[in-house]
Amino acid sequence: MDITIALPAECISNIISLTTPRDACRLSVVSRVFRSAADSDSAWENFLPSDYKQIISNSVSDSSLITSLSKKDLYFHLCHNPIIINNGTMSFALEPESGKKCYMVGARGHSIAGADEPYTWILTSLPESRFPEVAKVNSVWWFNVKAMIETKILSLRTNYGAYLVFKFAESTSGFERRPVISRVYIEGSDNGLRRSLLLDPSRNMARLSQDRGDGWMEIEMGEFFNENGGDGILVCSLLEFDSYIAMRGLIIQGIELRPTSD
C-alpha cells in the first residue's frame, strides 16, 4: 500500500517531525509527497528548540528571522550562522545533527581577574571574531578567566563539551612553558575534573588544540552532563597562579558549550 495515498500529508508531516533532521532530509528525496511533508514548517518546528522564538527575539540583529524564513531554512541558518544574543555577550547556534543548543560566551561576558588593571588585558576587535570584542593578554603573571551560563537554557539530557576558542598574536610568550588549569563545574560544588592545558606547546610536544577552520583554535576544557537543567550555574574556568614568567599574546574569542557526539 502506498502510504502517501493512505495517509494525509499532515499526518506524514507529524510522523516525520518525530524523527531527526537527518531523517527528514533523507525522506524529502523519496517522492514529491514526502518532500512536501518533510520540508513543511510543521515538521521542522519540532526540530527547533521550544524557546527558539524567545532566543531569537533576544538577538542583536536577527529577530526578523522568525518570519522571513521557513522553519527548515531557519534551522539550517542557526546551524551555520550563530546569532549574537544577550547584548553582544553570547552567541547561539544549533548542532546540525540533533538540533540541540550551542552557546558561546564571548570575552565581554567573561569574568577576568585583573582585567581592570592597566597593561594586563585589553579588549580589542578582530574581523574574524563573531563578537564585537575579543580579550587579549597584554602582560600577566597570573591568569584567572571564568565563563558562567545557566544550566536551564541548555538542552536537557545532553552531554556538553566546553571549549576555549582562542588564537595567538604575532608576539607571544609564556603559554608554551606554563600550562593553565581548566575546570568545568556547577557553582557551589567542587566536583570539576581539573585538566592541565598547554595552549602553545613546542613542536616536539603533543598538541591538544584543534584548528576550527574559522581562523581560531579550540581546546577542550572539560565536560558536563545536563540532566534536567534546574537552576544551576555552570562555571568554565581557566587558572594559572604559579607562573614565574610573564605571559602575553593570548587572544580569547570565547568559551563555547556544544553537545558532544557521545
Side-chain angles (χ1 to χ4, degrees):
M1 178 183 293
D2 188 343
I3 190 174
T4 62
I5 297 176
L7 295 175
E10 293 81 2
C11 185
I12 298 175
S13 293
N14 289 337
I15 294 172
I16 293 174
S17 73
L18 300 176
T19 63
T20 67
R22 178 187 286 271
D23 290 334
C25 290
R26 288 173 173 171
L27 290 169
S28 68
V29 301
V30 172
S31 68
R32 289 184 179 179
V33 173
F34 266 93
R35 181 181 301 113
S36 177
D39 290 348
S40 67
D41 280 353
S42 59
W44 285 89
E45 178 92 22
N46 201 52
F47 299 141
L48 291 164
S50 59
D51 57 348
Y52 77 92
K53 292 182 180 179
Q54 178 182 350
I55 295 171
I56 294 175
S57 66
N58 191 26
S59 169
V60 172
S61 60
D62 293 278
S63 58
S64 63
L65 292 175
I66 297 174
T67 56
S68 63
L69 297 176
S70 69
K71 295 301 186 289
K72 180 180 180 180
D73 288 343
L74 175 60
Y75 180 95
F76 285 107
H77 180 88
L78 292 174
C79 288
H80 303 295
N81 302 277
I83 60 174
I84 305 302
I85 60 175
N86 285 15
N87 297 316
T89 63
M90 294 176 63
S91 71
F92 168 81
L94 296 179
E95 196 281 318
E97 292 288 332
S98 64
K100 293 185 176 182
K101 300 173 181 178
C102 307
Y103 288 95
M104 186 187 293
V105 182
R108 177 62 77 173
H110 292 176
S111 171
I112 303 177
D116 56 344
E117 298 177 9
Y119 312 115
T120 55
W121 291 80
I122 59 173
L123 290 173
T124 186
S125 60
L126 289 178
E128 61 269 30
S129 173
R130 68 180 61 173
F131 297 105
E133 293 177 313
V134 297
K136 179 181 178 182
V137 177
N138 197 32
S139 181
V140 298
W141 292 85
W142 55 284
F143 194 87
N144 186 357
V145 176
K146 292 181 181 179
M148 292 175 281
I149 189 169
E150 295 177 302
T151 56
K152 66 183 180 182
I153 71 172
L154 302 174
S155 295
L156 304 182
R157 296 176 294 280
T158 300
N159 198 64
Y160 276 91
Y163 302 85
L164 174 69
V165 181
F166 70 101
K167 62 168 46 182
F168 285 102
E170 292 185 5
S171 176
T172 181
S173 66
F175 293 98
E176 78 284 359
R177 300 171 61 183
R178 294 291 300 182
V180 296
I181 304 301
S182 72
R183 292 178 61 211
V184 177
Y185 61 96
I186 294 295
E187 187 178 43
S189 71
D190 192 29
N191 59 356
L193 178 66
R194 290 167 170 80
R195 298 189 182 190
S196 180
L197 308 177
L198 196 60
L199 299 182
D200 192 24
S202 57
R203 293 183 179 180
N204 62 343
M205 300 182 69
R207 180 175 291 274
L208 298 178
S209 59
Q210 302 289 328
D211 190 336
R212 289 167 55 93
D214 60 358
W216 296 89
M217 303 290 290
E218 69 176 26
I219 191 167
E220 186 174 344
M221 299 171 57
E223 294 186 346
F224 165 73
F225 184 72
N226 190 43
E227 178 67 43
N228 297 313
D231 295 321
I233 302 294
L234 185 66
V235 181
C236 306
S237 72
L238 292 165
L239 302 169
E240 212 305 298
F241 286 113
D242 301 322
S243 182
Y244 50 84
I245 56 174
M247 296 176 286
R248 66 174 182 270
L250 175 69
I251 302 172
I252 297 177
Q253 178 178 208
I255 292 177
E256 184 173 50
L257 283 161
R258 64 175 187 263
T260 66
S261 57
D262 295 339

